[in-house]
Amino acid sequence: MIVEATGLHKAFGSTKVLDGLDLHVAEGTVLALLGPNGAGKTTTIRILTTLLRPDVGTVRIAGYDVVREATKVRGVISMTGQSVALDDQQTGRENLVMIGRLMHLGRPAARRRATDLLERFDLVDAMDRRVKTYSGGMRRRLDLAMSLVSQPRVIFLDEPTTGLDPSSRTTMWDAIKDLVSSGTTIVLTTQYLEEADRLADRIVLINGGRVAASGTTDALKSQVGGDRLDLRFAVEADVARAAALFDAPRGTDPLVLGIPSDGSAEHLHRVLDDLRLAGVPVVKVSSHRPTLDDVFLSLTTTDRTSVQI
Amino acid sequence: MATTAVHGGARNAVSDSLTMIGRSIRLSRRNVDTLVMSIVLPLLMMSLFVYVFGGAINTGTQYINYVVPGIILLCTGYGAASTAMSVADDMTSGMIDRLRTLPIRSSAVLTGHVTASVARNLLSTTVVIGAAIAMGFRPDAAVTDWVQAAGLLLLYVLALSWLAAGLGVIAKSVESASTLSFLMLFLPYLSSAFVPTNTMPSFLHAVSENQPITPVIETVRGLLTGTPIGTTGWIALAWCVGLLTCSFIFAARLFRRRTHG
Ligand SMILES: Nc1ncnc2c1ncn2[C@@H]1O[C@H](COP(=O)(O)OP(=O)(O)O)[C@@H](O)[C@H]1O
Ligand SMILES: [Mg+2]
């Protein structure tokens, strides 16, 4: 395990943010930290990257302790924070060369590394323009390139695609997948389940400062069961009656009730019959394969259920 | 995979500082608005004092000879104020986190800004002195006087720049850094920069006689225009060294505290 965090606690004043969080990441894999806003994702990343000390708990990265051997840890990691860390008044190339020089590459080597990265991230045309003229997607790509100058073994990405348009997001995803194929370990945080689904080998769901669930995407999906029927009603009163009838929890859409299904026609018939007998008119029925959204919902609505898969 | 060997060492610390100095100077050069303002404002002030108030203020010499040292110090204040903002910008943006996750001494970022601040002030001071001479400033100074004046000013600029860097570190935002450094800009006005202190009410007189800027101005004025200096030179030197030491410790301590985790 190249990242091993055990029993992390962190509070800011009276706000408890982390409450016994454990994380393990195998070398060469991608871990996605998933959780609603304020769940403690950024706090976790800051602890793992030596920026913040945990109140309790230990973290080892590549065998080094993040508190006692911070400099050694910094030699093997890099971090791309939630907000891009670039100098607007320097060009893309100058930004990269600066980091190269800080990593004590000679000037020619730093320039070569910069050029390689600019090519890889499709920024060659813009490399001698000041960063202030870059689009959001270009800035994100350059920001990621900045954290690759040192050829780190573990890369931490805090919400790498938040605020990007779909096409820039896809480009970022490709860049991240590229990294994985070169053997780099990645820990990323995201609010997008689709992103976790696409990129991660394992997902850790944080809620209330602890791990609410963790596992592969498939395992997490199968945990919420198989298919689901979404029943749409005309009025909320009907939703309530149907919810009581099937003993199903209400979802986010006030007019839709989702109930677990095995996907068979038989089950669909039974549900419709039950509704007719109870006199609840249903407007529309759709069958639904589980997504990570379902996992997310089912785990974050029931507070602090810890499920290990 | 990690091929870049780093970690510690005095040579690396020097190399990191040089990299960050290069960066800050480049940023200063490209921040044209700020650079121009730090030259234009003192020039405007000087014109104002020389041409508008100059006739009304009796200092016993040609007023321009009296006012130039004060303008130089004022201009130093402007140059240093933008340092507080640049530092605050790095401390509140993601930049400081990026630097802190590299295996380097991240305080090199402060060294960079302070050095750039000194360089900016060197430029603006030269321009201001040139303009003053064009306006009729007639220094009466030997080369050694110029060198001494330059040395004292350099110490003063360095002290003020570290103070500004410290203010930039504690500021919660770039805006509050600019407010804090505004206070710093205010100090030269409460001194003998523009008018002799004995024209002030006794309270202000006491304040301005005992604040660090008055002896520095008096010394520079003495060196450049030949007015007697006496012990003021030593007092000015002591103030500058003291201020520099305190500002440096202030900035370094705060930086450590803010980046401790
Ligand atoms: N420096 C801090 N001081 C006080 N509270 C903080 C600080 N950093 C984070 N928090 C609080 O900790 C909680 C978790 O924040 P964060 O880790 O940023 O969550 P996430 O990244 O998952 O959105 C939030 O309630 C936030 O307000
Ligand atoms: Mg966050």
Side-chain angles (χ1 to χ4, degrees):
Chain A
M1 293 288 143
I2 191 159
V3 177
E4 281 180 276
T6 35
L8 295 184
H9 285 78
K10 183 76 194 177
F12 295 106
S14 58
T15 324
K16 249 193 200 171
V17 179
L18 301 184
D19 186 21
L21 187 94
D22 297 316
L23 273 187
H24 302 276
V25 189
E27 179 139 33
T29 65
V30 183
L31 178 89
L33 279 178
L34 203 58
N37 228 329
K41 301 183 295 293
T42 298
T43 305
T44 307
I45 293 283
R46 291 180 67 80
I47 290 173
L48 300 183
T49 53
T50 75
L51 293 174
L52 195 65
R53 285 161 185 251
D55 297 337
V56 182
T58 54
V59 181
R60 291 187 159 272
I61 310 272
Y64 303 122
D65 186 280
V66 289
V67 176
R68 280 179 288 110
E69 300 165 293
T71 310
K72 290 209 166 105
V73 171
R74 289 170 188 157
V76 294
I77 64 162
S78 77
M79 205 254 321
T80 296
Q82 213 165 331
S83 53
V84 297
L86 300 166
D87 281 331
D88 275 356
Q89 296 286 8
Q90 294 204 82
T91 66
R93 198 217 302 251
E94 285 165 345
N95 269 286
L96 289 169
V97 170
M98 174 177 85
I99 301 293
R101 299 288 289 152
L102 289 175
M103 299 308 295
H104 305 131
L105 297 174
R107 194 173 291 279
R111 285 181 73 90
R112 236 178 294 124
R113 181 76 55 82
T115 312
D116 287 349
L117 288 165
L118 289 161
E119 274 166 12
R120 183 154 149 206
F121 286 94
D122 195 21
L123 289 167
V124 173
D125 291 340
M127 69 183 181
D128 290 320
R129 263 174 31 209
R130 294 194 199 170
V131 170
K132 66 175 177 184
T133 67
Y134 285 22
S135 70
M138 291 162 78
R139 297 164 79 89
R140 278 278 170 189
R141 291 202 313 272
L142 181 61
D143 203 38
L144 181 57
M146 294 277 275
S147 52
L148 300 185
V149 173
S150 59
Q151 299 189 317
R153 285 171 66 191
V154 191
I155 296 183
F156 295 88
L157 305 169
D158 198 1
E159 303 203 10
T161 67
T162 298
L164 289 187
D165 59 83
S167 99
S168 309
R169 179 169 301 157
T170 315
T171 317
M172 272 303 271
W173 284 346
D174 290 343
I176 293 169
K177 280 185 195 153
D178 227 42
L179 275 175
V180 183
S181 62
S182 68
T184 314
T185 308
I186 296 178
V187 178
L188 60 89
T189 74
T190 181
Q191 298 189 33
Y192 304 111
L193 298 139
E194 189 193 355
E195 184 160 284
D197 205 1
R198 291 252 188 140
L199 297 174
D201 300 307
R202 283 174 62 83
I203 294 177
V204 165
L205 218 141
I206 306 185
N207 195 32
R210 297 159 171 268
V211 175
S214 73
T216 61
T217 49
D218 287 342
L220 282 176
K221 283 180 191 170
S222 69
Q223 194 207 321
V224 276
D227 290 28
R228 205 184 68 211
L229 285 179
D230 278 345
L231 309 172
R232 178 172 284 277
F233 298 90
V235 291
E236 278 192 52
D238 289 343
V239 184
R241 286 166 66 202
L245 187 63
F246 298 110
D247 194 21
R250 304 274 297 266
T252 41
D253 187 333
L255 289 178
V256 174
L257 184 71
I259 54 174
S261 165
D262 56 9
S264 66
E266 168 75 35
H267 180 251
L268 177 60
H269 270 300
R270 236 187 10 251
V271 167
L272 292 177
D273 285 347
D274 286 353
L275 284 167
R276 194 173 42 226
L277 280 175
V280 187
V282 60
V283 178
K284 203 176 156 201
V285 180
S286 57
S287 118
H288 182 83
R289 293 201 63 82
T291 65
L292 276 174
D293 277 293
D294 304 325
V295 183
F296 197 61
L297 267 178
S298 80
L299 286 167
T300 50
T301 46
T302 49
D303 213 39
R304 297 206 175 187
T305 31
S306 186
V307 191
Q308 193 73 37
I309 302 161
Chain B
M1 250 190 84
T3 56
T4 353
V6 262
H7 313 313
R11 248 184 76 204
N12 286 345
V14 171
S15 142
D16 293 346
S17 297
L18 287 177
T19 305
M20 294 316 278
I21 289 169
R23 164 197 186 236
S24 293
I25 288 181
R26 201 174 300 132
L27 294 182
S28 298
R29 257 191 9 233
R30 292 180 186 175
N31 228 324
V32 179
D33 296 356
T34 313
L35 195 60
V36 167
M37 279 312 270
S38 74
I39 294 173
V40 167
L41 271 176
L43 286 181
L44 280 178
M45 291 300 293
M46 185 159 63
S47 314
L48 191 71
F49 277 100
V50 172
Y51 296 126
V52 182
F53 305 142
I57 303 169
N58 185 3
T59 59
T61 58
Q62 277 247 275
Y63 187 64
I64 189 159
N65 286 349
Y66 183 85
V67 84
V68 165
I71 297 289
I72 292 174
L73 283 246
L74 185 71
C75 139
T76 297
Y78 280 118
S82 61
T83 305
M85 287 181 264
S86 316
V87 170
D89 194 19
D90 280 345
M91 296 301 291
T92 53
S93 72
M95 190 48 87
I96 192 65
D97 290 344
R98 160 140 287 146
L99 295 173
R100 282 180 60 207
T101 51
L102 294 176
I104 62 166
R105 209 185 298 226
S106 46
S107 58
V109 72
L110 296 188
T111 316
H113 285 307
V114 166
T115 310
S117 166
V118 171
R120 278 199 310 274
N121 280 294
L122 203 70
L123 174 72
S124 56
T125 306
T126 311
V127 172
V128 165
I129 292 177
I133 289 172
M135 284 180 182
F137 174 53
R138 291 295 166 258
D140 172 23
V143 174
T144 49
D145 294 330
W146 279 106
V147 170
Q148 284 178 51
L152 185 65
L153 283 173
L154 190 68
L155 269 181
Y156 173 77
V157 169
L158 203 55
L160 223 56
S161 300
W162 275 110
L163 180 63
L167 294 178
V169 173
I170 40 169
K172 291 269 185 288
S173 67
V174 178
E175 290 71 34
S176 61
S178 110
T179 312
L180 285 176
S181 51
F182 179 77
L183 295 176
M184 216 167 69
L185 297 187
F186 203 67
L187 222 50
Y189 292 95
L190 269 186
S191 69
S192 63
F194 306 111
V195 292
T197 54
N198 55 23
T199 61
M200 299 177 182
S202 60
F203 166 71
L204 280 185
H205 176 75
V207 170
S208 60
E209 277 292 290
N210 293 298
Q211 63 124 309
I213 293 183
T214 296
V216 177
I217 292 175
E218 294 297 327
T219 305
V220 173
R221 186 179 287 136
L223 287 166
L224 296 190
T225 62
T227 53
I229 300 172
T231 55
T232 315
W234 295 109
I235 296 174
L237 187 65
W239 264 117
C240 286
V241 172
L243 194 63
L244 174 58
T245 314
C246 293
S247 313
F248 179 78
I249 293 172
F250 166 74
R253 280 261 171 90
L254 286 173
F255 186 82
R256 262 188 71 84
R257 178 120 56 91
R258 275 275 310 250
T259 57
H260 198 57

